[in-house]
Amino acid sequence: PLTMNHKGIITAIVIFGLIIVGMFVFAFLKKSEIENVEVPPVSTTTPSPYDSITRIDGKHFFIEGTHTIVGEVLVPTPCDLLNWDHTIAESMPEQVRVNFELYNNTENCTQVVTPQKFFVTFTASENAGMTATLNGRPVTFNLVPAAPGETPENYEFSPKG
């Protein structure tokens, strides 16, 4: 037969066991909670010297089914090189994206804002939509229509203030 003393000891052992089980359950739940917390990624990208270029201006010519865009991009140094290509999406009207790439492989170069000229030509319908990117980042593509009689060959580049 269980005495009052035995019942107290058994009750204490059961309570102690429940406390231990509770601690393990609590630890497991906290561990699961920590594993599910998303850690924001640490940005390892350094700012580009070209981030300040948010707009590219150009003169747009459409002559006999060919689009020609000429213009200048003001770059931070004379050592910056400008390349470009274009992508035409098959739709009506076509959507054309001009991809500009700027890079500089020199260690030391004088910081003097310098115009880099571009001349893009492609065949698309007259109403083709046109956008631009600079190093993969969308930029405003400000295209001014050519005046009647004006051609890309006689276009004079003029600095904008």
Side-chain angles (χ1 to χ4, degrees):
L2 291 173
T3 63
M4 197 60 140
N5 226 0
H6 286 102
K7 285 184 180 177
I9 292 173
I10 290 174
T11 303
I13 290 173
V14 169
I15 291 173
F16 184 71
L18 289 173
I19 290 173
I20 298 294
V21 168
M23 288 172 47
F24 279 106
V25 169
F26 180 78
F28 175 77
L29 292 175
K30 280 298 180 187
K31 181 180 177 200
S32 297
E33 187 178 300
I34 289 172
E35 288 174 354
N36 291 336
V37 171
E38 288 187 31
V39 177
V42 177
S43 176
T44 57
T45 59
T46 56
S48 165
Y50 311 121
D51 286 348
S52 63
I53 301 171
T54 59
R55 177 175 130 165
I56 295 178
D57 296 321
K59 186 78 136 195
H60 177 232
F61 299 87
F62 183 73
I63 302 170
E64 297 176 8
T66 300
H67 293 268
T68 303
I69 303 168
V70 294
E72 294 177 332
V73 177
L74 296 177
V75 298
T77 75
C79 302
D80 295 310
L81 301 175
L82 178 66
N83 285 330
W84 58 88
D85 65 10
H86 64 276
T87 307
I88 301 175
E90 296 294 327
S91 62
M92 278 316 265
E94 300 92 339
Q95 297 300 310
V96 180
R97 185 178 67 231
V98 180
N99 308 298
F100 292 95
E101 293 288 329
L102 271 170
Y103 60 94
N104 185 331
N105 293 326
T106 61
E107 292 292 321
N108 296 326
C109 194
T110 307
Q111 294 286 314
V112 176
V113 175
T114 307
Q116 288 285 336
K117 295 178 172 129
F118 64 87
F119 188 98
V120 181
T121 184
F122 56 88
T123 303
S125 63
E126 185 172 5
N127 297 325
M130 289 173 250
T131 59
T133 62
L134 177 64
N135 292 354
R137 174 179 53 84
V139 293
T140 301
F141 205 21
N142 181 39
L143 298 179
V144 177
E150 198 173 19
T151 65
E153 293 76 26
N154 67 15
Y155 175 70
E156 290 287 325
F157 289 93
S158 60
K160 306 224 174 183

